[in-house]
Amino acid sequence: MAVLGPNRYGKAETRVVRVTRHGDAHRIKDLTVSTSLSGDMTEVHLSGDNSAVLPTDTQKNTVFAFAKKHGVGAIEDFALLLARHFADSQPAIHHARVAVEEHAWERNGAFGHSFVRSGREVRTCVAHYDGTRSWVVSGLRDLVVLNTTNSEFWGFAKDEYTTLPETRDRVLATAVDAAWRHADASQGASQDWDKAYENARGALLAAFADTYSLSLQQTLYAMGTRVLAECPGVCEVRLSLPNKHHFLVDLAPFGLDNDGEVFFAADRPYGLIEGTVLREDAPAAGPAWE
Ligand SMILES: O=c1[nH]c(=O)c2[nH]c(=O)[nH]c2[nH]1
């Protein structure tokens, strides 16, 4: 006998660009929004009764309508607004999850209307709302960083398949994928999300740069710890760090030495170092990471 397990449904990756016009000085917010709702959804799965289902098409339309009506400030505020709307306005919806990614643009010269897609990372957030409480995880991905020295890797376990030479000086590079959980979003407190974002981003970058690294694992822990130290509202940090290997090229066949000057930047395979750093007294995560 089968039973219906956990389920949710929504519209994934609605692409919305909101232009705000102040005379000739325009502003743009470029987002990818994914909504996901859950609640009394047994009948739609078991008998095809759609009466509890707010169509995913409506969810997409709501994203566009809210961008117009409310504007788009910090992505966390936009995500919470949508999540609260869905769970508060539909009796059958008991939980809403809204994930937002923000793609950065910069001004193209002095023109108020012209933009160039920025090489910056993608800013992310996921908000949950269950009709009473809210949870917010903020983050970023594709923050690509590289240190040309101050990185070693030696003293590792070895077996009959180990060929990796020990190194006392290597390039360390990664594309940071980080997410941090806010402790107090459950109270629904309004926050300066943009300031919190810049603090966390700055902490990640500073720790990557100024940690003398004996492994990417050690750097990961330093980065997570730094975010907790600099961001009092954050209680947990999750990091996923691909080790973007840079191999010194052997130039001896060409009669050339290579004193840390020419590297082969391999794209795969790559080491993948992942970990969580959290406060000892971090409140329970609830659905925050789902
Ligand atoms: O910082 C590193 N951590 C590892 O676990 C590892 N493994 C490896 O081959 N190179 C590295 N570098």
Side-chain angles (χ1 to χ4, degrees):
M1 165 76 173
V3 290
L4 179 68
N7 60 86
R8 61 189 186 188
Y9 80 105
K11 191 67 99 188
E13 302 192 23
T14 297
R15 296 279 296 112
V16 53
V17 175
R18 174 63 156 101
V19 178
T20 314
R21 299 164 195 272
H22 300 291
D24 290 337
H26 300 171
R27 227 182 110 246
I28 58 172
K29 282 283 201 176
D30 180 349
L31 310 182
T32 301
V33 180
S34 297
T35 57
S36 200
L37 309 181
S38 50
D40 299 331
M41 293 297 148
T42 305
E43 283 311 313
V44 60
H45 290 89
L46 271 57
S47 70
D49 174 351
N50 293 331
S51 55
V53 178
L54 184 72
T56 68
D57 189 66
T58 307
Q59 297 174 39
K60 175 256 300 172
N61 291 344
T62 309
V63 171
F64 291 128
F66 274 33
K68 163 65 182 169
K69 276 168 68 175
H70 304 285
V72 178
I75 54 174
E76 289 86 351
D77 283 325
F78 194 59
L80 282 167
L81 191 69
L82 285 162
R84 288 173 181 156
H85 165 77
F86 290 125
D88 285 343
S89 63
Q90 288 296 316
I93 304 299
H94 304 320
H95 192 110
R97 172 191 189 272
V98 179
V100 182
E101 296 188 346
E102 178 173 2
H103 316 285
W105 292 83
E106 290 164 12
R107 293 208 171 280
N108 179 12
F111 300 98
H113 66 282
S114 187
F115 298 87
V116 55
R117 184 73 165 259
S118 156
R120 270 177 78 119
E121 74 284 355
V122 175
R123 176 172 164 178
T124 62
C125 80
V126 178
H128 286 263
Y129 176 65
D130 70 355
T132 316
R133 290 162 299 167
S134 306
W135 295 263
V136 177
V137 169
S138 302
L140 55 78
R141 64 176 167 77
D142 293 335
L143 179 66
V144 183
V145 287
L146 181 150
N147 289 336
T148 50
T149 191
N150 291 357
S151 169
E152 305 185 12
F153 189 63
W154 50 271
F156 42 81
K158 299 179 186 74
D159 68 10
E160 66 268 43
Y161 304 115
T162 304
T163 58
L164 185 74
E166 302 200 327
T167 177
R168 305 276 168 165
D169 191 15
R170 66 173 182 174
V171 167
L172 186 68
T174 188
V176 180
D177 184 341
W180 48 93
R181 175 161 68 93
H182 300 274
D184 57 355
S186 45
Q187 276 77 53
S190 75
Q191 303 206 18
D192 186 340
W193 301 108
D194 289 342
K195 185 158 164 275
Y197 180 80
E198 289 306 329
N199 280 350
R201 180 182 191 273
L204 291 168
L205 289 175
F208 181 80
D210 71 20
T211 299
Y212 191 101
S213 176
L214 297 177
S215 66
L216 189 49
Q217 287 89 331
Q218 186 193 27
T219 297
L220 178 150
Y221 185 70
M223 292 168 77
T225 308
R226 191 76 61 95
V227 172
L228 294 180
E230 312 243 325
C231 307
V234 170
C235 61
E236 179 175 352
V237 186
R238 295 191 177 182
L239 288 151
S240 177
L241 303 179
N243 192 352
K244 296 171 84 68
H245 303 298
H246 285 63
F247 298 114
L248 199 66
V249 178
D250 179 8
L251 298 176
F254 320 122
L256 299 168
D257 63 7
N258 189 2
D259 189 16
E261 292 163 294
V262 180
F263 295 86
F264 166 55
D267 69 340
R268 64 192 68 173
Y270 51 89
L272 185 59
I273 311 302
E274 301 183 287
T276 302
V277 185
L278 69 170
R279 296 189 196 280
E280 274 176 340
D281 59 352
W289 295 106
E290 291 169 11

